[in-house]
Amino acid sequence: MPDTPAGVVRTRGAALALGLLCLAVALLLVAFFSITVGARPITLETVWTALTAFDPDSTDHRIIWDLRLPRTAIGLAVGAALGLSGAVLQGATRNPLADPSILGIHSGAAVFVVLGVAVFGITQLSAYVWLAFIGAGVAMLVVYAVASLGREGATPIKLALAGAAMTAAMQSVTNAILLTSPRTLDEIRFWQVGSLVGRDMEIFIQVAPFLAVGIVLALATGRMLDGLSMGEDVARSLGQNVGRSRAIAGLAAVILAGGATAAAGPIAFVGLTVPHVARAMTGPNYRWILPYSMLLAPILLLGADVIGRVIAPPGEVQVGIVTAFLGAPFFIALVRRRKLASL
Amino acid sequence: MPSRTLLSLAVAAFALTPLMAHAEPWSYTDSLGNTVTLDAVPTRIIASQDAAAGLIPLGIRPVGIYADGPLADAKALQGLDLTGIEIIGQAWGEVDIEKAAALQPDLVIAEYWPLDNAWSGGENVVNALTPLAPITGPTNGDSILALIEDYETIATSLGADLDEPSIAADKAAFAAAKAAFEAATAAKPDLTALAVWAGTDALYVAATAGAAELMDFHAWGLNLIDPEVADDRGYWETLSWENTDKYQPDLILVDNRSPATMETALAQPTWTLMKAAEAGAVTDWPAFWLRSYHAYAGELDKITAAINAADENLGD
């Protein structure tokens, strides 16, 4: 019975699964480039011996292990986290422009990092992780609490408005501190741009457990987000607890965005753009959008990082700048080409 | 009435004559050729952070200082007695106009930075202060020593006595430090040095011509490796941390404006790709802040010791 709806669904599912496989292969390929391509030319052969027979006296081997591997690992983790958190936020708030920066998560993380540096004199990147985490959580809580005020509760529009207000307020605090404390500016200028450089494996190991929990939690929200995407009333009539769904999705987003921001600084556009690309590929089903976003985002992030390494030798361009350059026109093209796939 | 006015004028004139005979006019011509002339030697001086660092050790105490950032971060002012001096600014481009006016300054002394085409503190500060008093001062050029000598000239015109024992002692200590530095470089003609600033994102290599103290070190016999490509303003070449071994100096000088720079450098896994870093041939580079014989002597001694300890064939 070839043309029954069930058959169509099955074929579509198979195609999407195949697509996911292709993305996984592409991701491996980008990770391979991230390890083999850099500001310093290192032959494939050397990379291979570095990975299989590490020689601590070899410059190239140390560059592979101390710089490129941590960078690749952090790029993979941060990318997956940004893509997923963007998709979850867009689904939970039903706002096509939702991303960690719009809901105040970036600015909350930034203000805590700046306060930690300015007031407590913290200079280690490993301590930034915790500050950024707490800041992201607090900002998200406040945004959610403010948006929940009033009769309709936390509607998508109120969430976006509260997030924008939060971002404005937090940024002014951040700027006030930075203007009066050039030392703090020096300390965090680098963090503020968003970069995968200068983070060692320790940072990755610190955030990895959180991101793992966040990824599992986020992937599990697929069914809830599908329910929410039909509208709150429909979701409710299907027996879904809308408030609880939003809370779980919000928690996943905070863990992911907070962890990603902590590890790499605020990186723009990845969380915003990637879910739209994923949606264009998969259609409106969040059970597919989420894994697609999780694979697409690190491809974009690591790809941007690799580009940043080779366009300005002997220096490098930070990945936050490259993603903004790549992401902005791409996003404009996406919006202009067709109406955003409905949420 | 006219006669009374005339009389009072006459009295006033007589009263002022002896004063005016005593007050000598003061003038100073800066490197741009602009001359500031005042009726009397100025005593109430507002100085920029760097100018204060140049003047105070020579015995000229300003009434007010504007700093480029928090006073605690002003490396040039460390160790100087600032009691009784009003701090009228602690951020780049900012100055408290009310405090400045209350000081009733006769003169503002700052430094002219030709590469930036600006006075210390920038346009905003200059616009705020020049209605109160004229601005002048030495030009930051290709030698710290020449800059200090310019401060000597201006301080002498303001009444400083350079023969005063402590000032003379600082100058003698500097002369000894410079002689020791020259002897150390002469003893190791093949020794090469690299001046750097370490950022988390990259290693920045200084161009000699961008820093007056590096020009001095070069003039006194130190072979500084110049980066191949400097940025648009000619200060730095940016090296990815993957490329830290692009240059192999025998001795590394690390910008010491903030202790964080050395910490950042040491934390990088590829820092030791430079053999000099591996060997510990690393010392401070007093970047952009030296303004007195005393401070200069101290920093030179550190570098001289590092040169004496360094292996001149390390980086080959």
Side-chain angles (χ1 to χ4, degrees):
Chain A
M1 284 203 296
D3 277 310
T4 59
V8 171
V9 168
R10 214 172 297 134
T11 337
R12 184 153 173 75
L16 286 172
L18 189 66
L20 209 55
L21 197 68
C22 291
L23 285 184
V25 172
L27 185 58
L28 283 178
L29 207 62
V30 178
F32 169 77
F33 279 124
S34 173
I35 294 172
T36 53
V37 179
R40 179 193 186 90
I42 298 179
T43 61
L44 277 181
E45 206 184 340
T46 316
V47 174
W48 181 248
T49 42
L51 293 175
T52 51
F54 175 63
D55 171 11
D57 291 332
S58 158
T59 301
D60 289 347
H61 288 197
R62 272 169 46 202
I63 284 175
I64 299 292
W65 279 93
D66 293 342
L67 295 179
R68 293 198 192 161
L69 278 176
R71 196 166 172 168
T72 306
I74 289 174
L76 287 172
V78 164
L82 287 174
L84 264 180
S85 70
V88 168
L89 282 173
Q90 287 176 12
T93 61
R94 298 188 66 205
N95 178 344
L97 294 178
D99 84 334
S101 61
I102 283 181
L103 290 178
I105 294 179
H106 276 164
S107 57
V111 84
F112 268 62
V113 168
V114 168
L115 273 174
V117 174
V119 181
F120 301 107
I122 290 166
T123 54
Q124 288 112 341
L125 212 53
S126 51
Y128 288 9
V129 172
W130 301 106
L131 290 170
F133 244 129
I134 300 167
V138 169
M140 187 73 190
L141 271 182
V142 173
V143 166
Y144 194 81
V146 171
S148 304
L149 295 175
R151 208 160 47 85
E152 303 96 344
T155 63
I157 289 178
K158 281 162 76 185
L159 272 174
L161 286 175
M166 181 75 180
T167 298
M170 291 297 103
Q171 266 171 2
S172 61
V173 174
T174 306
N175 289 341
I177 298 170
L178 291 182
L179 279 174
T180 50
S181 172
R183 187 182 55 78
T184 310
L185 179 63
D186 275 351
E187 288 283 339
I188 82 144
R189 182 162 39 202
F190 167 70
W191 182 86
Q192 255 191 328
V193 178
S195 173
L196 305 176
V197 201
R199 278 92 171 139
D200 51 23
M201 268 306 185
E202 206 186 310
I203 302 271
F204 174 75
I205 292 164
Q206 262 184 304
V207 294
F210 291 95
L211 295 185
V213 170
I215 286 172
V216 172
L217 204 58
L219 288 176
T221 58
R223 193 174 290 271
M224 296 180 222
L225 295 180
D226 281 337
L228 281 179
S229 68
M230 288 181 272
E232 288 189 15
D233 295 337
V234 179
R236 261 192 213 100
S237 69
L238 290 172
Q240 206 172 9
N241 181 335
V242 172
R244 203 189 56 189
S245 299
R246 284 230 171 88
I248 293 173
L251 183 67
V254 166
I255 295 175
L256 290 171
T261 309
I267 293 178
F269 281 109
V270 176
L272 180 64
T273 310
V274 163
H276 289 284
V277 181
R279 203 171 288 117
M281 289 172 155
T282 65
N285 188 331
Y286 271 93
R287 271 164 290 176
W288 288 108
I289 293 174
L290 293 176
Y292 267 70
S293 299
M294 188 178 89
L295 294 181
L296 276 168
I299 293 174
L300 171 64
L301 189 66
L302 273 184
D305 189 46
V306 172
I307 292 171
R309 293 181 210 177
V310 293
I311 49 175
E316 292 182 349
V317 178
Q318 288 167 321
V319 71
I321 296 170
V322 181
T323 55
F325 261 98
L326 290 180
F330 183 76
F331 190 68
I332 292 169
L334 196 77
V335 174
R336 282 186 62 91
R337 196 162 56 83
R338 53 198 289 248
K339 285 184 70 143
L340 293 174
S342 78
L343 297 168
Chain B
M1 280 300 186
S3 65
R4 274 185 69 181
T5 314
L6 213 60
L7 186 67
S8 41
L9 270 179
V11 170
F14 271 112
L16 282 173
T17 310
L19 278 177
M20 286 172 71
H22 268 282
E24 290 170 32
W26 178 91
S27 81
Y28 180 85
T29 305
D30 66 25
S31 66
L32 303 175
N34 299 322
T35 302
V36 170
T37 305
L38 297 170
D39 296 340
V41 176
T43 54
R44 303 189 62 79
I45 294 158
I46 286 180
S48 73
Q49 165 187 318
D50 289 332
L55 293 170
I56 294 173
L58 299 174
I60 300 299
R61 292 182 66 78
V63 291
I65 292 176
Y66 64 93
D68 298 340
L71 207 61
D73 295 350
K75 187 100 181 157
L77 294 175
Q78 277 172 22
L80 296 179
D81 175 18
L82 301 181
T83 45
I85 300 178
E86 181 92 62
I87 306 301
I88 59 170
Q90 292 200 59
W92 175 258
E94 281 177 30
V95 65
D96 186 327
I97 300 179
E98 286 188 25
K99 275 189 187 173
L103 291 171
Q104 299 183 302
D106 304 322
L107 184 66
V108 178
I109 301 183
E111 268 173 30
Y112 186 73
W113 293 75
L115 279 188
D116 302 319
N117 194 21
W119 288 96
S120 319
E123 201 183 342
N124 284 350
V125 168
V126 171
N127 289 343
L129 293 179
T130 41
L132 303 173
I135 187 167
T136 189
T139 294
N140 193 302
D142 52 14
S143 163
I144 294 289
L145 184 55
L147 191 59
I148 296 176
E149 283 164 357
D150 282 347
Y151 279 117
E152 284 189 320
T153 307
I154 198 166
T156 313
S157 79
L158 294 168
D161 174 13
L162 301 185
D163 295 328
E164 215 238 303
S166 71
I167 297 174
D170 281 345
K171 195 168 179 172
F174 167 77
K178 176 171 172 266
F181 182 96
E182 285 172 322
T185 56
K188 290 188 178 166
D190 292 335
L191 182 111
T192 54
L194 190 71
V196 300
W197 187 86
T200 323
D201 55 336
L203 179 71
Y204 296 82
V205 176
T208 311
E213 61 283 344
L214 294 182
M215 297 286 275
D216 277 347
F217 301 160
H218 177 69
W220 301 334
L222 185 62
N223 302 316
L224 281 154
I225 298 174
D226 250 314
E228 281 169 20
V229 244
D231 63 6
D232 49 354
R233 282 165 72 213
Y235 285 119
W236 310 97
E237 174 178 8
T238 315
L239 291 185
S240 148
W241 278 112
E242 290 200 3
N243 287 322
T244 37
D245 58 349
K246 177 169 179 185
Y247 305 109
Q248 284 292 358
D250 301 311
L251 175 67
I252 304 170
L253 307 177
V254 179
D255 188 324
N256 71 352
R257 277 173 288 178
S258 148
T261 312
M262 188 73 92
E263 289 163 23
T264 305
L266 294 174
Q268 299 306 317
T270 49
W271 170 243
T272 47
L273 290 184
M274 282 186 282
K275 294 175 203 161
E278 177 87 62
V282 178
T283 190
D284 283 347
W285 161 30
F288 304 102
W289 61 267
L290 289 173
R291 292 297 182 275
S292 70
Y293 287 123
H294 179 77
Y296 210 159
E299 295 293 324
L300 270 185
D301 285 344
K302 272 195 271 182
I303 301 173
T304 305
I307 292 173
N308 285 331
D311 171 3
E312 65 178 321
N313 300 313
L314 183 73
D316 299 340

